[in-house]
Amino acid sequence: MSSPAEAGATAPAQPTDAPLPGDVVLTGDRPTGPLHLGHYAGSLSTRVALQGRCVQTLLIADLQALTDASNRAASGGPAYVATQVEEVALDYLAAGIDPALTTIAVQSRLPALAELTVLYLNLVTVARLERNPTVKAEIELRGFARDIPAGFLCYPVSQAADITGFRATLVPVGDDQLPMIEQTNEIVRRVNRLAEAPIVPECRALLSATPRLPGVDGRKASKSLGNAVPINATADEIRQLVRAMYTDPGHLRASDPGCVEGNVVFAYLDAFDPDAAAVAELKRRYRHGGLGDAVLKRRLVDLLEQVVAPIRERRAALAGDRSFLRDVLRDGTERADDVTRGVLRTVRQAFALSV
Ligand code: TRP
């Protein structure tokens, strides 16, 4: 397996909340399609950097993906989700996750997490779930109105089960996940009060320097909008996506002054260009006038190709060996099963259930 340093490419991973000795790291992704550069800049490169420094588990959250299964545009439906479990594992390995240092596990094969979810549902109110800002935004986005699937409304509880099921203390995520961390910690405090002992730890989010990378059109990057740059994009796809990037509609001639804020090309340069001084100078010239979009976009195409090419090549090399991939998932899931069953035993006791 490749070394983390090699895999880190040029994407800067600058966690805003440094890991402490003894931190246990858990994070997850819904298998609803190829991971994109937003995942990479927002959390995947941080996970690669944390390997070997902390105990770390990555959870492929296929059950959580099913909470969205009624929305085919968002999740692709159950059969599609099933095909994406191995694909996400491939994305992890291609991005530099080393299964000898990081446990990769499949959520639906960890029954302890489902049982923890059922127990935790007794510790939250529907009103609190409806107030969760991420859930609220998603309800609007999906147009559920009053027909909210119960599983969907409750997925933050399942996420609390994921996090506590591993006794995680540090969760590398994008900033849209901050409400989940807050809600998890509320559940943690209630469980501990019930147990009259600190049986599960509170956790903190670990945000990268780029907690949110926009899609090429400036909207939230999403699979259904087709506006994200996949982490294994071909050189052609990179060129096409960068060409389509939203810049400043008022910047018609190179000599016009341009706007940097909300300009997607600069958002990607900020995230991926290791030469911050050069980017600052480009911003100055762009604002002043005299710097064309084409020059900027050429720089970005080269830069993204440097980030993506090693990932794409590793992915292609690994994609042929399905039995290796299945072994990785089986071994990781077995280890995770032990850990989560141990936590479930203690939580069951807190609820006065026999063990
Ligand atoms: N909600 C996360 C997402 O949509 C995925 C996820 C599932 C997760 N379980 C988790 C993230 C536990 C952090 C911790 O991307």
Side-chain angles (χ1 to χ4, degrees):
M1 215 26 66
S2 53
S3 77
E6 183 196 327
T10 54
Q14 286 158 349
T16 53
D17 191 355
L20 301 169
D23 259 328
V24 175
V25 179
L26 180 280
T27 188
D29 297 280
R30 298 178 182 196
T32 53
L35 298 186
H36 53 69
L37 287 182
H39 294 113
Y40 189 70
S43 142
L44 198 44
S45 61
T46 308
R47 306 173 199 177
V48 173
L50 284 173
Q51 289 193 112
R53 295 167 64 196
C54 299
V55 172
Q56 175 167 254
T57 304
L58 303 186
L59 194 63
I60 303 181
D62 53 349
L63 281 184
Q64 191 178 109
L66 291 184
T67 66
D68 229 2
S70 58
N71 184 302
R72 285 185 180 270
S75 78
Y80 180 73
V81 167
T83 67
Q84 294 307 296
V85 171
E86 281 183 18
E87 297 306 306
V88 169
L90 256 179
D91 284 342
Y92 288 163
L93 300 182
I97 293 295
D98 179 346
L101 299 173
T102 297
T103 299
I104 305 177
V106 181
Q107 189 189 31
S108 65
R109 298 185 214 156
L110 299 171
L113 296 182
E115 196 171 335
L116 281 174
T117 305
V118 168
L119 294 174
Y120 292 172
L121 281 170
N122 299 304
L123 305 177
V124 286
T125 66
V126 171
R128 174 63 182 92
L129 287 162
E130 284 174 337
R131 271 201 308 275
N132 180 308
T134 299
V135 170
K136 218 165 144 177
E138 286 170 339
I139 287 171
E140 264 171 47
L141 191 73
R142 310 269 191 274
F144 283 143
R146 288 201 49 77
D147 297 321
I148 308 167
F152 182 84
L153 187 64
C154 297
Y155 90 75
V157 180
S158 144
Q159 195 154 326
D162 297 343
I163 293 170
T164 57
F166 291 87
R167 293 201 164 85
T169 54
L170 197 61
V171 186
V173 281
D175 63 355
D176 64 318
Q177 296 293 304
L178 292 177
M180 305 300 164
I181 305 291
E182 198 183 316
Q183 192 146 28
T184 295
N185 285 335
E186 286 174 25
I187 292 174
V188 164
R189 289 190 286 271
R190 294 205 169 107
V191 172
N192 290 339
R193 206 177 307 140
L194 199 60
E196 295 177 342
I199 59 170
V200 280
E202 290 194 34
C203 62
R204 0 192 261 295
L206 181 58
L207 293 178
S208 85
T210 312
R212 181 174 299 195
L213 193 68
V216 296
D217 54 1
R219 291 189 286 176
K220 188 177 190 289
S222 109
K223 183 188 137 245
S224 44
L225 295 173
N227 61 355
V229 183
I231 62 166
N232 66 331
T234 63
D236 266 351
E237 281 173 320
I238 292 174
R239 264 193 299 277
Q240 275 164 27
L241 285 161
V242 172
R243 195 178 308 135
M245 265 183 196
Y246 180 87
T247 56
D248 169 6
H251 186 241
L252 296 176
R253 283 175 301 264
S255 55
D256 292 340
C259 187
V260 166
E261 288 67 35
N263 188 315
V264 177
V265 177
F266 279 110
Y268 278 69
L269 287 175
D270 280 336
F272 293 106
D273 200 322
D275 190 346
V279 175
E281 175 58 17
L282 289 171
K283 287 181 180 170
R284 195 195 59 75
R285 284 174 54 204
Y286 195 81
R287 287 197 176 104
H288 179 267
L291 180 60
D293 283 358
V295 175
L296 274 183
K297 288 189 168 182
R298 220 170 299 133
R299 180 184 180 99
L300 184 58
V301 166
D302 290 345
L303 199 60
L304 294 187
E305 176 63 13
Q306 273 176 46
V307 173
V308 165
I311 299 178
R312 184 171 67 221
E313 281 154 24
R314 259 195 304 269
R315 200 181 192 288
L318 290 162
D321 196 349
R322 291 284 148 174
S323 75
F324 169 72
L325 207 55
R326 283 183 197 133
D327 286 350
V328 165
L329 290 179
R330 199 198 47 237
D331 292 352
T333 304
E334 252 170 41
R335 272 199 302 275
D337 194 44
D338 281 347
V339 176
T340 52
R341 280 182 197 276
V343 173
L344 175 62
R345 254 194 306 276
T346 3
V347 174
R348 280 181 63 107
Q349 276 170 335
F351 279 89
L353 298 168
S354 60
V355 285

